[in-house]
Amino acid sequence: MSTDEAGQGGPSAGGPGNSTEEHGGPKGNLIQLVTPAGERISHPEFDPWVQDITDETLCSLYEDMMVVRRIDVEATALQRQGELALWPPLLGQEASQIGSGRALRGDDFVFSSYRENGVAYCRGVGLTDIIRVWRGNASSGWDPYTINMATPTIIIGAQTLHATGYAMGIQNDGADSVAITYFGDGATSEGDVNEAMVFAASFQAPVVFFCQNNQWAISEPVRLQSHIQLADRAAGFGIPSMRVDGNDVLAVMAATRVALDRARRGGGPTFIEAVTYRMGPHTTADDPTRYRDANELEDWAAKDPISRLESLLDRKGLLTDELRQLVQAKADAVAREMRLGCTTMPDPEPLDIFKHVYSSPNTWLDRQQDHYSRYLASFGDPAGAVSEEGAR
């Protein structure tokens, strides 16, 4: 398989739409502004959307992508060392997440799956909060309203319904902010995603459906899930779509800006298929060598999003030793802070399990809490029997 066929997932066997031979779709060609070799290419339709990207901004995008990869490496190590129960790596998807995350405004609202740790970093989620749920210390990691990003949804595709509902609320408020929801290629086969798109199209809700097609839904290749390009599915709902090279941070940013602008102007939803690749396992509980060919990984490694941006920076004379050292120092500092936050995170109190279930008193839950409190007290450990009032 050619390494320039960024939109095709793996070997050519499988359905016609996602084979290596066909590139059909409402938009036809993949949107690309930077080749895998780091060459900036012209695209008259999308160039204007990134014309404000200065050399300094390019360097900051590079820093963000390096930092989130470092977060990923450190979290994976923490899981292997028994400090985290599980971790969903994003290795290879940095451009999709940073390019789209950096396109958002502060008043936009994000509804993500469990893999968008790069987007969470862009939104300002605390490093300890990113891993809190994976350590098992909390049911969720942060207050969504402080950064306008909901906590990750584990149920595949459910967050698309939340995003559409939120977008309809934006519409009712007469605001020009946008909801964006992230999901993977596997989620497009879920009923929730399809229902969300029906409602979004019917009400022309200001929502962006951002699909990271990383080629694998755990061990299921995308070519078996869909015989057409995923972006083509949106046409059936009356939703315009774009198919973008998800390893090209500039192309992703341009496509996301187009979709956001359309939504802000009352143009309704947009579906973006960011064609990328999950170079690591689905989670740290997965072994991808059992279901995918090593040659496929090698092909996609040649299109690594960070190497691509490095090549572009090098061509522009921006990839200096000083920049490399600054970025590496930042990434290492972030990793140290996250590790320290993880290993020193206090364990939750037993009755904390009753926190944040309801926003107002609930007699059914109060009864359970009372029983559990007295059960703990039966062991004669005053510290275990936290007062009912204090646990709320």
Side-chain angles (χ1 to χ4, degrees):
M1 183 177 71
S2 165
T3 55
D4 287 335
E5 291 175 332
Q8 309 306 320
S12 59
N18 278 301
S19 72
T20 55
E21 287 78 22
E22 296 191 11
H23 290 266
K27 292 294 181 182
N29 297 325
L30 200 70
I31 302 164
Q32 187 180 76
L33 299 181
V34 181
T35 69
E39 180 187 2
R40 179 70 167 88
I41 54 178
S42 176
H43 196 306
E45 183 180 354
F46 289 91
D47 281 344
W49 293 94
V50 289
Q51 64 182 2
D52 62 319
I53 300 300
T54 63
D55 288 349
E56 183 181 2
T57 306
L58 269 183
C59 292
S60 69
L61 291 171
Y62 172 62
E63 177 186 297
D64 283 352
M65 291 168 66
M66 287 286 288
V67 167
V68 298
R69 179 166 290 188
R70 187 70 177 85
I71 288 174
D72 205 50
V73 170
E74 194 68 19
T76 300
L78 284 165
Q79 193 281 327
R80 297 307 189 208
Q81 294 161 4
E83 299 292 348
L84 297 179
L86 190 71
W87 178 253
L90 61 76
L91 181 64
Q93 299 180 218
E94 295 87 353
S96 290
Q97 298 197 16
I98 298 301
S100 59
R102 287 282 294 273
L104 302 174
R105 285 192 337 208
D107 61 345
D108 295 330
F109 210 105
V110 178
F111 295 85
S112 75
S113 74
Y114 42 80
R115 202 182 302 282
E116 279 72 46
N117 299 302
V119 179
Y121 176 76
C122 288
R123 298 301 282 179
V125 175
L127 296 170
T128 303
D129 289 339
I130 289 177
I131 56 175
R132 190 178 301 280
V133 70
W134 302 111
R135 189 170 169 82
N137 278 46
S139 299
S140 60
W142 57 84
D143 178 355
Y145 295 105
T146 59
I147 54 169
N148 278 6
M149 179 171 179
T151 51
T153 301
I154 301 295
I155 302 170
I156 304 301
Q159 70 277 10
T160 59
L161 291 168
H162 308 158
T164 299
Y166 189 92
M168 292 167 65
I170 293 173
Q171 202 172 38
N172 290 335
D173 289 343
D176 72 343
S177 53
V178 178
I180 182 170
T181 179
Y182 291 85
F183 52 94
D185 43 283
T188 61
S189 298
E190 293 286 342
D192 283 1
V193 175
N194 290 271
E195 291 162 14
M197 293 175 71
V198 167
F199 267 78
S202 296
F203 292 92
Q204 288 295 283
V207 55
V208 177
F209 293 91
F210 193 97
C211 174
Q212 290 181 85
N213 176 4
N214 67 15
Q215 311 302 320
W216 290 93
I218 308 184
S219 59
E220 187 85 352
V222 66
R223 64 181 181 274
L224 292 183
Q225 294 184 64
S226 179
H227 284 209
I228 60 173
Q229 306 292 1
L230 297 181
D232 289 357
R233 287 181 165 182
F237 299 89
I239 296 177
S241 66
M242 289 177 279
R243 195 159 188 269
V244 62
D245 185 339
N247 285 7
D248 176 352
V249 69
L250 282 185
V252 171
M253 178 173 283
T256 309
R257 284 176 166 181
V258 168
L260 291 169
D261 180 70
R262 177 183 293 138
R264 297 193 205 288
R265 292 186 291 106
T270 300
F271 184 102
I272 297 174
E273 179 189 358
V275 183
T276 181
Y277 191 74
R278 166 170 59 78
M279 293 202 290
H282 175 69
T283 69
T284 46
D286 174 43
D287 177 8
T289 64
R290 300 183 64 178
Y291 55 79
R292 72 182 183 192
D293 194 305
N295 292 331
E296 180 183 313
L297 178 60
E298 184 179 347
D299 285 340
W300 280 91
K303 294 175 284 190
D304 182 289
I306 294 181
S307 297
R308 181 182 310 204
L309 185 53
E310 282 182 335
S311 296
L312 176 63
L313 294 173
D314 194 36
R315 287 170 181 265
K316 294 170 71 69
L318 300 172
L319 192 63
T320 62
D321 289 342
E322 181 184 11
L323 176 64
R324 286 182 182 276
Q325 291 168 5
L326 286 172
V327 169
Q328 190 60 54
K330 174 67 179 294
D332 289 344
V334 165
R336 280 195 301 272
E337 181 182 341
M338 187 177 73
R339 172 172 285 274
L340 180 64
C342 177
T343 56
T344 61
M345 193 183 300
D347 291 335
E349 296 296 332
L351 292 182
D352 283 352
I353 194 173
F354 296 99
K355 287 182 175 178
H356 311 304
V357 179
Y358 292 101
S359 59
S360 58
N362 180 285
T363 55
W364 177 73
L365 193 68
D366 289 347
R367 182 172 180 271
Q368 287 190 38
Q369 182 172 323
D370 175 60
H371 286 190
Y372 189 47
S373 179
R374 285 190 280 120
Y375 169 75
L376 293 174
S378 70
F379 293 98
D381 178 10
V386 181
S387 71
E388 181 177 341
E389 187 64 31
R392 286 176 181 167

